Amino acid sequence: MSLAALDTSPAVAAVREALEGVDGWLVGGTIRDALLGRPIEDVDIAFAGEPEAVARAVAKAAGGPAFPLSDEFGGWRALARSGGWTCDVSRLQGGSIEADLAQRDFSINAMASPLHGGGLIDPQGGQSDLDAGRLRVLGAEAYAADPLRPLRLVRLAAELGFAPDATTEALTAEAAPRIPETSPERVFAELRRLMVSSRVVDGLALSDRLGVTRAVLPEIYELHGVQQSHFHHLDVHDHTVEVLAQQVELESKLEEVFGPDTAALSAVLDEPFADELTRREALRFGALLHDIGKPATRGVRDDGRVTFIGHDSVGEEMVSELCRRLRTSDRLRTFLGALTRHHLVLGFLVHHTPLSRRAVYTYLRVCSPVEVEVTVLSCADRLATRGKNADAAIDAHLALAGELMGEALRWRAGGGAPKAPIRGDELAEALGIDRGPELGKLLAALQEARFAGEIETRAEAVELARELSKNAQP
């Protein structure tokens, strides 16, 4: 391992140029990633002075903004207009770089190098821990200084594929209950990075084992031990984790399920969505949260079969509360709520195939505006359900999902339901009725009929509307 990556990083070069003549140290994740040969997208600097002026100098050179970070250390962040990199500037703690590094979280983040070039400064043995793939917290005081750090450990484990040593595991489990003491925005930022990691399932297993999940997402922890019907082979918690695992796997094999619609589907899923997430990444949160309403709705019929009637609607409410607690955007909150509310719809339709055009219309209308994403989520859910008659049920579900995806993509591209062949005012005049609820119902019926291919022209629309209006009269 060497620091050669620092000299080839465009981000580091830009920061060095902006701060020519300024003494400071590259620290933390920048040094860690350089030693690992990972892309350097975040430049972290420790500086013996007020961070604001340094951050503003970097921002001015990079053509982006500078702003204070919401933590107790008084750090500042500069963003580059192009290149996608950030620069975080913090005040040197303790009077020397060695004292500063001793106050950081983990040994692999407690290394430094002079800003304008020089050797590795590694008083905490971070490089040997990097070599061993080991996460080692710098004592209980590191967790006492910042309650968020147990969650950061889990996120780093998932991102890097590292494992904590035994002492770190014990200290993390002890400190985990304090995570909610930190700001919700910081919690969600770490959780977001965990969820988009390629090793998210491993990270969640570690999180669960160390008590981090119980502190951050108690709704997921409460799924443990909630037994399901004979159509499931796992309890609700393990089923949920398996749904997420299947969702991650589906991301790389969409073509196996969605065939010729894969390119269009991938384009939709890769769209930037909300909270620094793409639709694809936000869908992972949907997989994790879709069944959180089950413990509150579990019932047992007289014949012994376990039910969860209404867990979709209860879950939608719980997802909304969870998102408010973590202070996500309203857009993400409503998206995840809609996924939870509608994740069962396609599964019910499997029993009514082949579907009529009106049935397809109803599916798209009910599931809008998540008709595309919930179709994908339902496949992950079905693949994770391997109880009685699983293989036949999975085959039937995936086949229907493949058929419906093209419809959903066209629906999305067209802005939803097709317009009726006649305007509302024209229809009111043709029928001699006033504007109001009756006219709205007729127009909705005409939209459905047009989707079903039953009408196309204005005259056909008027004729059908007149017939519907006459049949509705007592």
Side-chain angles (χ1 to χ4, degrees):
M1 292 184 178
S2 75
L3 294 175
L6 294 177
D7 296 326
T8 59
S9 165
V12 173
V15 171
R16 283 173 169 171
E17 183 177 357
L19 299 179
E20 185 176 359
V22 176
D23 291 330
W25 291 267
L26 296 167
V27 295
T30 303
I31 302 300
R32 179 198 70 222
D33 289 343
L35 291 172
L36 289 173
R38 288 162 52 91
I40 298 175
E41 298 175 350
D42 301 314
V43 181
D44 299 322
I45 300 175
F47 172 74
E50 291 301 320
E52 180 179 357
V54 174
R56 290 194 182 280
V58 174
K60 181 179 180 180
F67 50 88
L69 295 172
S70 57
D71 61 42
E72 63 270 33
F73 301 113
W76 274 70
R77 173 168 293 174
L79 301 180
R81 176 177 293 178
S82 61
W85 56 269
T86 66
C87 178
D88 286 353
V89 185
S90 61
R91 184 185 303 109
L92 192 69
Q93 303 293 309
S96 70
I97 187 59
E98 290 78 12
D100 179 279
L101 296 176
Q103 297 182 47
R104 293 182 176 263
D105 49 10
F106 308 104
S107 64
I108 64 170
N109 291 336
M111 296 179 283
S113 182
L115 172 60
H116 295 289
L120 178 67
I121 303 170
D122 183 18
Q124 302 297 328
Q127 187 169 19
S128 64
D129 285 333
L130 277 183
D131 292 337
R134 180 170 53 235
L135 286 168
R136 178 168 57 85
V137 70
L138 299 183
E141 57 272 19
Y143 283 151
D146 186 354
L148 183 67
R149 286 171 171 171
L151 178 56
R152 185 175 296 150
L153 172 116
V154 170
R155 186 262 294 173
L156 284 169
E159 287 185 341
L160 302 176
F162 284 16
D165 62 16
T167 300
T168 297
E169 284 211 8
L171 290 173
T172 303
E174 182 179 347
R178 291 190 58 222
I179 297 173
E181 294 177 17
T182 194
S183 72
E185 293 87 352
R186 295 182 69 211
V187 171
F188 182 68
E190 291 290 337
L191 186 61
R192 179 180 60 227
R193 290 185 63 174
L194 168 62
M195 289 297 295
V196 303
S197 167
S198 62
R199 303 180 185 88
V200 56
V201 174
D202 294 335
L204 285 174
L206 178 65
S207 176
D208 189 58
R209 188 170 80 247
L210 300 184
V212 172
T213 300
R214 187 174 190 175
V216 176
L217 295 173
E219 297 87 350
I220 301 300
Y221 175 80
E222 293 298 327
L223 302 180
H224 275 294
V226 180
Q227 298 301 320
Q228 307 196 79
S229 73
H230 59 276
F231 292 108
H232 289 265
H233 65 301
L234 300 169
D235 73 3
V236 179
H237 178 271
D238 291 350
H239 167 73
T240 293
V241 174
E242 180 61 18
V243 173
L244 178 58
Q246 292 292 341
Q247 179 62 45
V248 173
E249 187 173 350
L250 263 178
E251 292 173 2
S252 62
K253 61 176 189 180
L254 292 173
E255 190 169 3
E256 294 182 18
V257 179
F258 302 110
D261 295 312
T262 300
L265 172 59
S266 293
V268 168
L269 295 180
D270 288 336
E271 292 172 359
F273 181 62
D275 299 51
E276 300 180 39
L277 296 166
T278 64
R279 289 181 180 275
R280 186 189 304 266
E281 292 165 343
L283 193 47
R284 290 190 179 189
F285 277 95
L288 182 66
L289 300 176
H290 76 287
D291 271 349
I292 62 173
K294 280 190 170 179
T297 57
R298 188 179 188 275
V300 182
R301 297 191 326 195
D302 292 341
D303 61 3
R305 180 172 173 178
V306 175
T307 64
F308 298 99
I309 298 172
H311 79 272
D312 46 355
S313 57
V314 170
E316 180 183 24
E317 296 174 3
M318 293 177 65
V319 165
S320 184
E321 293 173 4
L322 183 155
C323 288
R324 288 191 177 95
R325 183 178 77 236
L326 294 177
R327 296 182 186 172
T328 73
S329 66
D330 288 343
R331 192 178 193 201
L332 182 61
R333 175 177 58 81
T334 55
F335 175 81
L336 297 178
L339 287 176
T340 302
R341 180 62 180 261
H342 302 311
H343 75 275
L344 299 173
V345 178
L346 195 151
F348 291 137
L349 289 179
V350 171
H351 305 291
H352 302 284
T353 55
L355 299 184
S356 68
R357 292 296 295 166
R358 284 183 173 269
V360 172
Y361 178 87
T362 299
Y363 173 75
L364 298 174
R365 179 180 55 78
V366 166
C367 294
S368 183
V370 297
E371 67 287 335
V372 171
E373 295 86 357
V374 81
T375 301
V376 178
L377 175 59
S378 76
C379 293
D381 194 11
R382 182 65 261 185
L383 286 164
T385 306
R386 294 189 173 274
K388 184 178 179 182
N389 300 325
D391 290 340
I394 289 172
D395 290 343
H397 189 107
L398 297 186
L400 181 57
E403 294 174 13
L404 287 173
M405 182 54 73
E407 300 280 5
L409 290 167
R410 286 187 290 275
W411 180 278
R412 176 74 57 89
K419 293 182 179 179
I422 186 171
R423 296 201 315 263
D425 58 338
E426 294 174 337
L427 183 61
E429 182 179 355
L431 298 182
I433 62 175
D434 296 327
R435 298 183 184 185
E438 180 186 358
L439 180 61
K441 290 179 182 178
L442 288 173
L443 287 171
L446 294 180
Q447 285 182 293
E448 181 173 358
R450 186 171 192 181
F451 180 91
E454 298 168 3
I455 62 171
E456 187 62 37
T457 67
R458 182 183 184 280
E460 290 171 336
V462 171
E463 181 181 354
L464 177 58
R466 184 173 287 115
E467 181 181 346
L468 293 172
S469 181
K470 182 172 60 176
N471 292 339
Q473 294 177 2

